[in-house]
C-alpha cells in the first residue's frame, strides 16, 4: 500500500518546483518599488510550496523504498529534496520577520540552486545520468550504433566488447546501479543471471524463453516493451547478437571465435568489425514487406499454455516465430491452433520427437514460412510433400531424420530455398550430386566436419 502512494511522487514533485521558483522570483522582484505589491502573495506561495515539498519528500521516500532504486544518486536526490523542503519552510517562517533584503535574497537564491540540483538529480534517476549530455555523445542518439567498432572481432570477448556496451547504451538508464525498474539490474553478471521480479532475464541456451528477448520483441505500443518507445531502440543486428549470445550459453568470458557462427551471424559480426551502423539488415532474415494482421491473443495464450514459445521475429511486426522444442503435446487441438496463425508464422522450429508426417499437414498453408527446423523428428519422405508449395521457404533443416534423396526431390519447386541441412539423414554421399543438380542454388550442409589438429593445440605435460 505504501508503495502505491510512493508512485504519486512524479505527480506531486512538479508542484513545489513551480510554486517555490515563482515565489523566489517574486521575492527578488519585490525589492524594486514597482513590484512591492507582490509581497502580499509571497507568504502564501511559500506556504503552499513548503507543504507540497514536504508531501513530495514523503512520497519520494516511499518510492525509493519500493525496491527500484539504490545507490548514491537516489541518496543525493533524497537529501537535496529534504533540504529544499526545510529551507522553504524556514523562508516562509522568516519572510515577514526579516527586514533585510540581502538576507531574503540570499536565501531565495540558495533555494533556487537547491531546487535546480534536486530536479537534475531526479531527472537523472528517471532518464539516466547522461540524459542531458547524451545528444552530445557520439553514438548515443537515436539510431546510433550502441557498440563501438571492434577491430579484430574474432579475438574479442563477446560480453566485454559487444554485449556490455549494448546493455550500457540501451538498458542501464532503467536497469543500472542507480535505478532498477522491476528490480532488475543489467550492469553486472550476477544481476543479469539473477533476473528481476518477472523471472529470469536470461535463460542460458534459450533466447526465446529469456525475458530480456521477450520484452525487446513486444510491439512498440506495449507498455512492457523494452526499451521504452521514447528511447533509442535495439536494431535487428543488435537483437540477433543478443539472441545468438544467449542461445550459445550466455558466457561472459568466451571470445567470438569460440562460438559457432552460421550464415545469419556472419554479416552481423562483419558489421561489428567494420563499425558500420547497426541498422544494416540481416540478409537471410528479411521480414516480408507486406505486413499481416496481429494473431489472436487467445490463440497465442493457448499455444503458450501447451509449452510452445511464440515470439515476434522482430520489433514492430506481427510476424511470429514458433518453437515446439518444449511442446507437451502435438495433438489435433495444438495443430488446429497452429493453423490459426498460418499467415503470421514466419519461422518454425518443430524440433520435437512427437513431430511426424501428420504434423506437417498443419503447416502446408503457412505460405509465409521462411525457416523450418525439423531436426530429430519422425518425419519421412511422404511428409515432405506438405512443404512443396511453401514458396517463401529459404532455410530447411532435416538433421537426424529418415529423409532420403527421394524426399528431397519433392522440394524442386521451392525457388527461394537457399539452405538445406541434411546431416545424419538417409541421404547418401552418392545422392549429393543429383541433389545439387536438382537444387543448384541451394547450399547443402552435410555436417560431419573435421577440425585439423595444429601443433599449438597439443600441450605436452612433463612430470
Amino acid at each position: 500500500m505504501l508503495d502505491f502512494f510512493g508512485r504519486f511522487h512524479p505527480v506531486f514533485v512538479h508542484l513545489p518546483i513551480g510554486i517555490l521558483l515563482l515565489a523566489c522570483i517574486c521575492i527578488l522582484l519585490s525589492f524594486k518599488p514597482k513590484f512591492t505589491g507582490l509581497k502580499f502573495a509571497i507568504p502564501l506561495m511559500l506556504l503552499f510550496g513548503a507543504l507540497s515539498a514536504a508531501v513530495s519528500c514523503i512520497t519520494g521516500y516511499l518510492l525509493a523504498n519500493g525496491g527500484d532504486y539504490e545507490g548514491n544518486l537516489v541518496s543525493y536526490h533524497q537529501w537535496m529534496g529534504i533540504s529544499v523542503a526545510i529551507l522553504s519552510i524556514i523562508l516562509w517562517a522568516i519572510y515577514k520577520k526579516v527586514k533585510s533584503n540581502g538576507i531574503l535574497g540570499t536565501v531565495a537564491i540558495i533555494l533556487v540552486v537547491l531546487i535546480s540540483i534536486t530536479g537534475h538529480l531526479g531527472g537523472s534517476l528517471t532518464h539516466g545520468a547522461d540524459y542531458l549530455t547524451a545528444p552530445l555523445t557520439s553514438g548515443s542518439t537515436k539510431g546510433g550504433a550502441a557498440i563501438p567498432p571492434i577491430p579484430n572481432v574474432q579475438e574479442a570477448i563477446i560480453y566485454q566488447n559487444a554485449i556490455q556496451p549494448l546493455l550500457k547504451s540501451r538498458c542501464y538508464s532503467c536497469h543500472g546501479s542507480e535505478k532498477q525498474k522491476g528490480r532488475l539490474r543489467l550492469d553486472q553478471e550476477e544481476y543479469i543471471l539473477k533476473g528481476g521480479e518477472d523471472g529470469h532475464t536470461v535463460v542460458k541456451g534459450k533466447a526465446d524463453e529469456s525475458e530480456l528477448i521477450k520484452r525487446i520483441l513486444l510491439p512498440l505500443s506495449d507498455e512492457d516493451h523494452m526499451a521504452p518507445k521514447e528511447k533509442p531502440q535495439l536494431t535487428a543486428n543488435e537483437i540477433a547478437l543478443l539472441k545468438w549470445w544467449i542461445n550459445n550459453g550466455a558466457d561472459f568470458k568466451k571470445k567470438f571465435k569460440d562460438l559457432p557462427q552460421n550464415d545469419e551471424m556472419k554479416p552481423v559480426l562483419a558489421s561489428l568489425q567494420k563499425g558500420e551502423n547497426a541498422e544494416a539488415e540481416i540478409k537471410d532474415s528479411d521480414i516480408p514487406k507486406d505486413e499481416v494482421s496481429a494473431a489472436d491473443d487467445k490463440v497465442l495464450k493457448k499455444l503458450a499454455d501447451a509449452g510452445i514459445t511464440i515470439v515476434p521475429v522482430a520489433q514492430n511486426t506481427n510476424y511470429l516465430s514458433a518453437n515446439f522444442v518444449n511442446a507437451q503435446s502435438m495433438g489435433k487441438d495444438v495443430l488446429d491452433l497452429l493453423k490459426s496463425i498460418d499467415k503470421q508464422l514466419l519461422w518454425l522450429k518443430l524440433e520435437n520427437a512427437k513431430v511426424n508426417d501428420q504434423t506437417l499437414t498443419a503447416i502446408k498453408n503457412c505460405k509465409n514460412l521462411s525457416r523450418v527446423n525439423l531436426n530429430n523428428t519422425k518425419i519421412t519422405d511422404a511428409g515432405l510433400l506438405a512443404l512443396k508449395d511453401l514458396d517463401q521457404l529459404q532455410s530447411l533443416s532435416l538433421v537426424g531424420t529418415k529423409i532420403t534423396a527421394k524426399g528431397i526431390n519433392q522440394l524442386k519447386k521451392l525457388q527461394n530455398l537457399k539452405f538445406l541441412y541434411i546431416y545424419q539423414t538417409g541421404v547418401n554421399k552418392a545422392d549429393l550430386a543429383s541433389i545439387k543438380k536438382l537444387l543448384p542454388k541451394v547450399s547443402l550442409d552435410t555436417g560431419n566436419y573435421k577440425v585439423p589438429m595444429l601443433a599449438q593445440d597439443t600441450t605436452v605435460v612433463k612430470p
Side-chain angles (χ1 to χ4, degrees):
M1 191 64 177
L2 293 177
D3 183 50
F4 169 76
F5 289 109
R7 293 179 182 272
F8 283 94
H9 178 68
V11 177
F12 290 122
V13 75
H14 296 93
L15 192 61
I17 292 175
I19 295 176
L20 291 175
L21 284 178
L22 181 61
C24 291
I25 293 172
C26 289
I27 288 174
L28 297 175
L29 288 176
S30 67
F31 297 158
K32 296 184 178 181
K34 64 178 180 179
F35 293 112
T36 52
L38 294 174
K39 292 183 177 181
F40 298 100
I42 290 174
L44 186 61
M45 284 190 284
L46 289 174
L47 178 61
F48 276 110
L51 292 175
S52 58
V55 173
S56 296
C57 287
I58 295 170
T59 55
Y61 176 79
L62 296 176
L63 182 63
N65 282 275
D68 286 349
Y69 300 89
E70 65 179 47
N72 292 331
L73 190 59
V74 68
S75 179
Y76 294 151
H77 175 64
Q78 176 178 308
W79 285 109
M80 291 300 291
I82 293 173
S83 299
V84 168
I86 293 174
L87 189 59
S88 60
I89 292 173
I90 292 174
L91 185 56
W92 168 74
I94 68 172
Y95 180 73
K96 287 188 176 181
K97 298 178 180 179
V98 176
K99 304 301 181 182
S100 172
N101 290 346
I103 295 176
L104 292 176
T106 300
V107 176
I109 291 172
I110 294 174
L111 184 57
V112 169
V113 172
L114 287 177
I115 292 171
S116 301
I117 296 174
T118 306
H120 171 68
L121 294 174
S124 297
L125 280 172
T126 304
H127 303 289
D130 62 344
Y131 180 67
L132 289 179
T133 59
L136 305 176
T137 306
S138 176
S140 62
T141 55
K142 187 175 182 178
I147 305 172
I150 305 173
N152 188 353
V153 70
Q154 294 299 333
E155 292 295 330
I157 297 174
I158 302 172
Y159 175 74
Q160 179 181 327
N161 294 95
I163 302 301
Q164 188 176 42
L166 175 59
L167 296 178
K168 181 177 181 180
S169 174
R170 302 294 189 238
C171 308
Y172 279 15
S173 61
C174 292
H175 305 287
S177 59
E178 302 294 345
K179 180 181 178 182
Q180 299 88 42
K181 190 174 182 181
R183 300 186 180 181
L184 172 63
R185 283 184 66 169
L186 294 173
D187 61 323
Q188 293 183 33
E189 176 182 348
E190 60 180 302
Y191 297 121
I192 293 174
L193 297 178
K194 178 183 178 182
E197 62 184 16
D198 294 317
H200 293 294
T201 308
V202 170
V203 180
K204 290 187 175 184
K206 300 177 181 180
D208 290 342
E209 296 180 21
S210 300
E211 195 67 25
L212 177 65
I213 301 300
K214 289 181 180 179
R215 294 295 184 96
I216 289 172
L217 293 178
L218 286 173
L220 194 61
S221 57
D222 194 302
E223 63 178 9
D224 290 329
H225 169 83
M226 295 297 162
K229 62 182 180 180
E230 68 273 7
K231 296 188 177 183
Q233 300 298 306
L234 277 76
T235 65
N237 278 4
E238 291 167 352
I239 296 171
L241 179 67
L242 275 174
K243 293 179 71 173
W244 175 72
W245 177 65
I246 295 172
N247 279 330
N248 284 283
D251 192 281
F252 290 78
K253 303 297 182 184
K254 286 186 177 181
K255 297 180 179 182
F256 282 91
K257 68 179 183 180
D258 297 328
L259 300 187
Q261 299 166 16
N262 56 24
D263 291 310
E264 177 184 324
M265 285 307 300
K266 288 176 182 177
V268 178
L269 302 186
S271 68
L272 291 176
Q273 183 159 313
K274 295 176 183 177
E276 296 173 351
N277 192 307
E279 289 290 349
E281 293 296 329
I282 306 165
K283 293 181 179 179
D284 296 321
S285 63
D286 285 344
I287 299 170
K289 294 180 180 179
D290 297 328
E291 186 56 86
V292 293
S293 58
D296 189 330
D297 288 337
K298 293 180 180 179
V299 172
L300 298 181
K301 177 65 166 57
K302 290 179 180 179
L303 285 168
D305 291 341
I308 299 154
T309 303
I310 304 284
V311 295
V313 297
Q315 294 178 347
N316 305 320
T317 180
N318 292 321
Y319 286 106
L320 302 173
S321 170
N323 188 333
F324 280 73
V325 171
N326 296 316
Q328 301 161 6
S329 168
M330 293 299 298
K332 184 178 182 300
D333 54 339
V334 173
L335 297 182
D336 287 342
L337 290 172
L338 197 59
K339 293 176 183 178
S340 300
I341 58 171
D342 56 356
K343 294 180 181 179
Q344 293 83 9
L345 202 55
L346 194 65
W347 303 340
L348 179 60
K349 189 172 184 179
L350 283 169
E351 195 170 338
N352 191 301
K354 301 183 183 74
V355 173
N356 53 33
D357 292 344
Q358 183 64 31
T359 308
L360 297 187
T361 61
I363 66 170
K364 65 180 182 180
N365 292 320
C366 298
K367 301 297 185 182
N368 290 320
L369 272 175
S370 63
R371 299 183 192 176
V372 176
N373 182 326
L374 296 167
N375 294 350
N376 305 309
T377 58
K378 297 178 180 179
I379 63 167
T380 66
D381 291 342
L384 279 189
L385 191 62
L387 308 182
K388 67 181 181 65
D389 294 324
L390 299 182
D391 299 332
Q392 302 306 314
L393 191 60
Q394 298 179 24
S395 175
L396 177 61
S397 187
L398 304 169
V399 176
T401 64
K402 296 180 180 180
I403 296 299
T404 67
K406 182 181 177 181
I408 302 296
N409 289 340
Q410 300 175 109
L411 306 176
K412 60 185 177 182
K413 290 175 59 179
L414 302 181
Q415 298 297 318
N416 289 309
L417 189 63
K418 298 177 182 178
F419 305 98
L420 185 60
Y421 302 87
I422 51 176
Y423 177 50
Q424 292 182 337
T425 64
V427 177
N428 300 317
K429 289 184 179 180
D431 300 323
L432 294 179
S434 60
I435 294 176
K436 288 180 180 179
K437 186 176 181 180
L438 182 71
L439 304 170
K441 298 180 180 179
V442 177
S443 172
L444 297 179
D445 191 324
T446 57
N448 199 25
Y449 309 112
K450 291 184 179 180
V451 180
M453 180 66 72
L454 303 178
Q456 56 266 37
D457 292 333
T458 303
T459 301
V460 178
V461 179
K462 296 181 179 180

